[in-house]
Amino acid sequence: MTGARLILGKDVSEGIYSELRDRIQALKGKGTTPGLAVILVGDDPASQVYVRMKGKMCEELGMRSVTITLSATTTQQELLARIAEINRDPGIHGLLVQLPLPSHMDEDAVINAVDPGKDVDCFHPVNVGRMLTGDPVFLPATPAGVQQMLVRSGIETSGRHVVVVGRSNIVGKPMAAMMMQKGEGADSTVTVVHSRTKDLPSVTRQADILIVAIGKPRFVTADMVKDGAVVIDVGTNRVDDHSSPKGSRLEGDVDFDSVKLKASAISPVPGGVGPMTICMLMANTVAAAEAAAGVIR
Ligand code: GUN
């Protein structure tokens, strides 16, 4: 291989946003403006950035955006009360609580409190179960974004060996579940590898499509990748960089410079999967608003 084709979330998301704009216009014509509420507890700087980006994208698309910022000392009971309030609000179609939560809160209890019909993160056990059985209401944003990158880049997934590196609830587990389903952008043979896997490189080398979400900078090196593989890097690691004005930079889980020489297609960090997460979150919110307005798709 002399160099891989780049798969850029920015390009892929543009196509999806253009479809969403049409659907939002149609909804507004029926008197419904899709609304997303985001709850942020505490002052984690990365979470603040993500929450701001979500609100900004809602506004750009002409959707309603409500951001609720609560202090790090908020009690779990107070948070649950705010969630219950939004669950009842007919003008809000999607609700998400930004993670991580302060350590005194029980994350599962908070996730379980979100109305499954408004759970645009697809974190509620009801929605995780429906995704697993192949009858999804929502799909989780980051794995759904990866799947759209594959589909819209014309990458065949049927019958191909997908190796997922990482087993988180947000990416690895749902990613594996989605790729093994029947249908477009799936029908794959799936293997999941993680920190306890023995001889992990011998498995990643078998991947036709390698999806990496392990949260370790430059974890995947060229010797772990088969010639011609498609490599999707979900990693977003902030690493020290004294040559940058910020003092840090974003690095993926893949050693891009060496792996790009071996892969047939690769997503970079930043600019790869990143823009897809918010895009798919917007798509879930529009879908929730359509369901509330009785639009059949
Ligand atoms: N924190 C990191 N990723 C996510 C996400 O997809 N949703 C929420 N709610 N919090 C996150």
Side-chain angles (χ1 to χ4, degrees):
M1 280 288 157
T2 50
R5 167 161 72 110
L6 287 182
I7 303 179
L8 303 173
K10 186 168 184 313
D11 294 350
V12 176
S13 65
E14 264 168 27
I16 297 172
Y17 281 127
S18 132
E19 294 162 19
L20 288 180
R21 283 179 211 278
D22 291 345
R23 287 164 62 189
I24 293 164
Q25 275 320 308
L27 274 167
K28 286 185 165 177
K30 290 167 111 321
T32 297
T33 298
L36 173 67
V38 178
I39 303 181
L40 172 63
V41 189
D43 36 39
D44 178 68
S47 292
Q48 286 172 334
V49 172
Y50 290 135
V51 167
R52 216 175 307 127
M53 284 164 66
K54 288 167 187 176
K56 206 170 139 227
M57 188 50 75
C58 279
E59 277 153 29
E60 264 182 60
L61 293 171
M63 290 163 49
R64 186 169 164 227
S65 163
V66 176
T67 301
I68 297 164
T69 310
L70 304 174
S71 84
T73 56
T74 303
T75 65
Q76 176 154 324
Q77 205 181 358
E78 285 170 310
L79 174 59
L80 294 178
R82 298 304 291 268
I83 292 172
E85 224 172 84
I86 299 166
N87 282 344
R88 287 191 298 269
D89 182 344
I92 295 293
H93 307 95
L95 161 60
L96 72 87
V97 182
Q98 188 67 28
L99 302 180
L101 287 167
S103 57
H104 67 276
M105 290 196 181
D106 174 353
E107 204 168 277
D108 287 339
V110 172
I111 288 170
N112 288 351
V114 175
D115 176 348
K118 296 190 178 186
D119 170 39
V120 285
D121 263 332
C122 195
F123 288 171
H124 192 289
V126 165
N127 287 324
V128 175
R130 292 193 62 152
M131 173 198 56
L132 193 62
T133 55
D135 179 29
V137 175
F138 298 113
L139 291 174
T142 302
V146 170
Q147 189 174 44
Q148 285 302 311
M149 287 169 81
L150 296 171
V151 169
R152 291 174 187 247
S153 304
I155 290 162
E156 180 61 79
T157 56
S158 177
R160 302 195 71 198
H161 189 188
V162 170
V163 176
V164 178
V165 184
R167 54 175 163 176
S168 69
N169 284 343
I170 294 186
V171 185
K173 278 188 221 168
M175 188 80 245
M178 285 166 61
M179 297 309 294
M180 72 172 81
Q181 299 299 324
K182 293 182 178 173
E184 193 194 19
D187 282 322
S188 306
T189 303
V190 180
T191 304
V192 180
V193 296
H194 49 75
S195 56
R196 300 297 171 98
T197 297
K198 293 208 163 51
D199 196 5
L200 183 146
S202 72
V203 186
T204 57
R205 272 195 291 271
Q206 293 171 42
D208 300 313
I209 300 170
L210 186 60
I211 301 173
V212 192
I214 199 161
K216 295 179 183 162
R218 296 198 204 192
F219 178 80
V220 169
T221 46
D223 58 305
M224 295 162 70
V225 177
K226 178 167 82 175
D227 247 327
V230 173
V231 180
I232 306 289
D233 187 352
V234 188
T236 50
N237 308 288
R238 192 148 284 287
V239 298
D240 288 343
D241 180 355
H242 300 297
S243 68
S244 140
K246 272 189 183 170
S248 68
R249 75 191 139 82
L250 215 53
E251 200 159 81
D253 290 351
V254 174
D255 181 29
F256 182 82
D257 290 339
S258 70
V259 173
K260 76 170 185 219
L261 302 173
K262 219 159 173 197
S264 61
I266 187 168
S267 71
V269 175
V273 176
M276 295 302 296
T277 300
I278 289 183
C279 179
M280 300 318 290
L281 179 67
M282 298 296 131
N284 278 346
T285 306
V286 172
E290 287 170 341
V295 174
I296 299 161
R297 294 191 70 237

